Every structure is written in C-alpha cells, then in structure tokens.
Amino acid sequence: MIPGLLLVGLVVAVPLLMTVGTSFTEWSGVGTPRWTGLDNYDRLLHDDRFWLSFKNIAFMIVAMAVVPTLLGLFLAALLFDYVAPRLGGRTARALRSGFYLPQVLPLAVTGIVWSWILNPNYGVLNSILDRVGLGVLARNWLGDERYALYTVMAVMVWVQIGYPVVMFMAGLQRVDPEQYEAASLDGAGWWQRFTRIAVHQIRPEIGVVLITTTIAALKVFAQIFVLTGGGPGGSTMVPSYFAWQQYFGSVNVGYASAISTVLAVLIVALTFAFIRVQTR
C-alpha cells in the first residue's frame, strides 16, 4: 500500500494543506504571500455571492442526488421486475446501458451538446416546441435568470440517472426470491414487496449512491463552466466555480483558497455523517 499512500499524499494531502495555508493569506499567485489571518473567512461571511453559491448547491444536491436516487429506484425496479421477465435480460441490459451512457461521456461534450439543444435561436428544444404548436413555451433556457438554474438541474438529472440505476439493479439481484414468493403468498402486491423487502435489502447501495452523488453535487464544476459560466447574473453560481473565478479571474488566490477550504470541510463532514448513518 505504500506506493498508493505516497501518491495520495503527493496529489491530495500536500495540495490540500497548501490550500488551507494559503487561505490565511493575501496572494496573487506570484511573489510572497502576506499573512492576513482570518480576513478571508470574515470576507466570506459577508459575501452575498458566496452564500448564493451555497444556496445553489442545495438545488444541485436535489438534482444530482435526491431526484436521481428516487428515479433510479423506480427505473431499476421497472427494468428488473417487468422488462427483464417479459422482454428478456438482453433488453433490460441494453436499456440499463442507455441510461448509463451519460456517465461515460466527457462532461465537456455533454455540456456543449446540451448548450446546442437549449440554444434560444437554433436549439432543437425550441424548434420542436414551435413545430408542435407550443412555441409559446419556448424560452431562453440558459440565458434567463428565471429558468437557468432549473434547466441546469434538469441536465444534471439526465447526467446522473444512470449511476443509481446500475447500482440498484446490481443490488436487486442479491435479494432472495423466496422472500418475494412468501410475501406474494401472504397477499402482498408489487408495491408492498418493493417497499417492504427490496428497498430494505439494498440499503447499502442506496447509502453509497447518496454519498457519492452528494459529493459530486458539492464539487460540480464542468457543467456549470460549459453551460452557463455561473450566469446569468450569478443565478447558477456554485462554490467550485466561484473559487475558480476568484483564482483565475480576480487573481485572488487567498480568497479562492478559503472558498475551497470551506467546501472541502463541508464534503468531509457530510461524508462522515453519511457513513455513520449507513453504519448504524
């Protein structure tokens, strides 16, 4: 394990400690950092953009963790209990692969494709709405503050949905069929068998999915960078993009490091909380 631990220390631990140290300084990235103590953290507490970014993270958690988990449970059960027995395992596997496809595509590619689809002038979505007589519903999906955040959330649901589907289908395969049979003999319907047996049996998979997708939501960057750049008017700003903006846009390395440190502490705290609940 020594080579792996050394690599983790070099790539993760050392930069993390350097970021924490830099967060207590004022530094432009060149020259000698000037020690400022807790000034950057005090600035965070009074920065409306910082709090807006964390407010938006709550929406990202809903879009990347809560909704995909619930939809993933339903779709996995649908594929496992209905599609596979009636249309065959090959069809179920093909549909599962289709749901998972967005996970293996490069994030920049998916972001660019969705920006084309949602373009207000030549986008496919508005064109379809216009052709079916619903042109009144056409919107500037990514350029209007009223719709941008919800549009990004919809894209993130599409990106994330395949991961819980694959995880939950794998979990359903280890549920003892005799439990389903016994429940059926006692008069239980599909919904009762699913909620009273299957969901409880795959709780470890549900915990893993919630942990990993929540962490992914807290760290989301690429899709925001490609789709909206945090705009319009900061309506889709998230902490990781805000930190990047402060670092490369404002060349304020100390403040950007403080944002990153707060985000890292939040991720670690939530991870420990999830693991503790799952262990119980």
Side-chain angles (χ1 to χ4, degrees):
M1 294 178 64
I2 292 177
L5 292 174
L6 290 175
L7 186 62
V8 169
L10 181 64
V11 177
V12 178
V14 172
L16 178 60
L17 293 175
M18 292 177 64
T19 299
V20 174
T22 305
S23 69
F24 297 104
T25 68
E26 181 180 344
W27 189 36
S28 64
V30 295
T32 303
R34 184 175 67 85
W35 181 266
T36 58
L38 297 175
D39 286 358
N40 287 323
Y41 293 96
D42 181 66
R43 177 180 172 184
L44 282 178
L45 295 176
H46 301 90
D47 192 336
D48 292 337
R49 296 172 300 170
F50 172 75
W51 292 111
L52 175 62
S53 71
F54 266 90
K55 175 185 174 183
N56 291 338
I57 272 294
F59 287 94
M60 289 296 105
I61 291 175
V62 171
M64 297 179 66
V66 178
V67 174
T69 298
L70 295 175
L71 286 180
L73 276 171
F74 172 75
L75 291 172
L78 185 67
L79 293 176
F80 190 82
D81 292 334
Y82 282 91
V83 175
R86 290 166 174 76
L87 302 178
R90 181 175 297 180
T91 301
R93 288 192 295 271
L95 292 172
R96 179 185 62 188
S97 300
F99 284 121
Y100 193 73
L101 182 61
Q103 286 283 309
V104 300
L105 294 175
L107 295 177
V109 172
T110 59
I112 292 173
V113 170
W114 274 104
S115 68
W116 291 343
I117 294 173
L118 298 168
N119 188 280
N121 300 317
Y122 55 79
V124 173
L125 179 57
N126 282 350
S127 297
I128 292 176
L129 290 174
D130 186 59
R131 292 191 179 188
V132 299
L134 297 175
V136 68
L137 298 178
R139 297 288 187 273
N140 185 359
W141 300 104
L142 296 173
D144 192 320
E145 293 185 22
R146 295 172 296 176
Y147 310 110
L149 180 60
Y150 301 107
T151 303
V152 172
M153 289 174 65
V155 173
M156 299 313 302
V157 171
W158 175 82
V159 170
Q160 288 290 101
I161 191 66
Y163 171 60
V165 169
V166 170
M167 291 288 290
F168 296 151
M169 285 192 70
L172 289 171
Q173 292 177 2
R174 62 180 177 80
V175 179
D176 188 354
E178 292 184 357
Q179 296 186 21
Y180 288 144
E181 184 179 354
S184 297
L185 292 174
D186 288 336
W190 175 83
W191 179 251
Q192 289 176 308
R193 296 195 303 270
F194 176 67
T195 55
R196 303 295 178 85
I197 298 175
V199 171
H200 290 280
Q201 292 289 329
I202 64 173
R203 282 168 60 186
E205 285 81 2
I206 294 175
V208 170
V209 167
L210 284 174
I211 290 173
T212 52
T213 53
T214 300
I215 292 174
L218 291 170
K219 299 191 303 180
V220 63
F221 173 82
Q223 293 89 344
I224 300 297
F225 179 83
V226 175
L227 287 171
T228 63
S235 59
T236 59
M237 184 69 70
V238 292
S240 58
Y241 188 83
F242 186 40
W244 177 88
Q245 193 179 62
Q246 290 297 314
Y247 194 111
F248 294 100
S250 303
V251 198
N252 194 342
V253 179
Y255 190 49
S257 298
I259 300 169
S260 300
T261 300
V262 171
L263 184 59
V265 170
L266 178 61
I267 291 173
V268 171
L270 285 177
T271 301
F272 275 110
F274 271 122
I275 293 175
R276 186 175 181 85
V277 170
Q278 185 180 5
T279 302
R280 288 181 177 180

